Amino acid sequence: MKAAVITFPGSNCDRDLAVALQNAGAQVARVWHKDQTLPEGTDLVAVPGGFSFGDYLRCGAIAAHSPIAGALRLHAERGGYVLGICNGFQVLTELGLLPGALMRNTGLTFLCKPAVLNVVTADSDFTAGYAKGQQITIPVAHHDGNYQATADDLAQLRDQDRIAFTYGPAINGSVGDIAGVLSANRRILGMMPHPERAADPALGGTDGAALFRSLVAGVVNA
């Protein structure tokens, strides 16, 4: 499986994400935001956390108009896999590849701590390594992680089993305590928590490793 990890000015989790994918068996290429194409044969585009372009305007708004964004959109429209974590999730909503928007946390506080997540669905290559209803612990580090969506979008997410993770207990005001959502074809995942920060015992936890292992296996077998 070939993965491309994008780096924007202000990204700070790009190397962590690349290492987590490599440890799961992926071949990883690093892509700069000014590139206009993805490496040939890319299966997965991974958009990391951080503060792309300093989070000016809105989080992810400028990154969504960078040169590489066009290639990312085409990759998604062709049915390619995309993973957006934290700021990467914000970028994917700005691109319109996932519904909803990420607002300021309730209380206007930056949250940086381990968070308990409920696995809402195991029916995706991203979440197949978990059991539905399983609780896992994944770190969060965000100021704008309050997920909001229209009533129609929420109904679709629920009816189509596209809510990947919820917080348990609530931490940031997200509607339905949503922590991560899937696209209609289940090949795009956006999530605020950082599984790459819980993918190795040296990091203090390994609950995130199953996401990367199941993703690599799913892409290889797709």
Side-chain angles (χ1 to χ4, degrees):
M1 191 267 267
K2 294 183 179 180
V5 176
I6 299 175
T7 299
F8 298 100
S11 296
N12 63 14
C13 298
D14 44 339
R15 183 183 180 278
D16 308 64
L17 186 50
V19 169
L21 285 164
Q22 287 170 343
N23 288 344
Q27 299 178 33
V28 181
R30 305 291 295 276
V31 178
W32 184 233
H33 72 109
K34 288 188 177 181
D35 294 340
Q36 297 188 0
T37 59
L38 295 168
E40 186 175 354
T42 295
D43 299 299
L44 166 75
V45 178
V47 190
F51 305 90
S52 59
F53 295 94
D55 280 348
Y56 290 109
L57 300 182
R58 293 183 308 276
C59 299
I62 298 177
H65 290 84
S66 64
I68 197 60
L72 169 56
R73 184 188 296 278
L74 288 174
H75 174 81
E77 291 174 348
R78 289 195 297 263
Y81 288 83
V82 181
L83 172 61
I85 298 172
C86 199
N87 188 236
F89 186 9
Q90 296 161 344
V91 172
L92 297 185
T93 60
E94 288 288 339
L95 281 167
L97 298 178
L98 290 172
L102 284 307
M103 312 291 287
R104 291 285 173 88
N105 296 340
T106 300
L108 305 181
T109 55
F110 183 87
L111 298 173
C112 186
K113 63 180 183 178
V116 175
L117 303 183
N118 303 306
V119 179
V120 181
T121 181
D123 184 20
S124 78
D125 289 329
F126 299 94
T127 57
Y130 304 109
K132 181 176 180 179
Q134 180 179 351
Q135 284 197 325
I136 59 176
T137 300
I138 305 290
V140 296
H142 60 248
H143 192 270
D144 295 65
N146 180 354
Y147 181 78
Q148 298 295 320
T150 66
D152 287 344
D153 283 338
L154 280 173
Q156 284 193 345
L157 289 172
R158 288 170 174 149
D159 292 346
Q160 297 172 11
D161 191 32
R162 289 168 49 199
I163 298 174
F165 304 103
T166 58
Y167 298 105
I171 64 169
N172 59 18
S174 293
V175 62
D177 299 328
I178 291 173
V181 299
L182 294 157
S183 61
N185 68 357
R186 314 187 82 77
R187 291 196 168 194
I188 303 174
L189 171 66
M191 60 184 297
M192 286 308 297
H194 287 268
E196 78 282 6
R197 296 185 182 181
D200 188 287
L203 301 176
T206 59
D207 282 357
L211 184 149
F212 298 105
R213 289 195 302 265
S214 65
L215 175 57
V216 171
V219 174
V220 169
N221 296 322

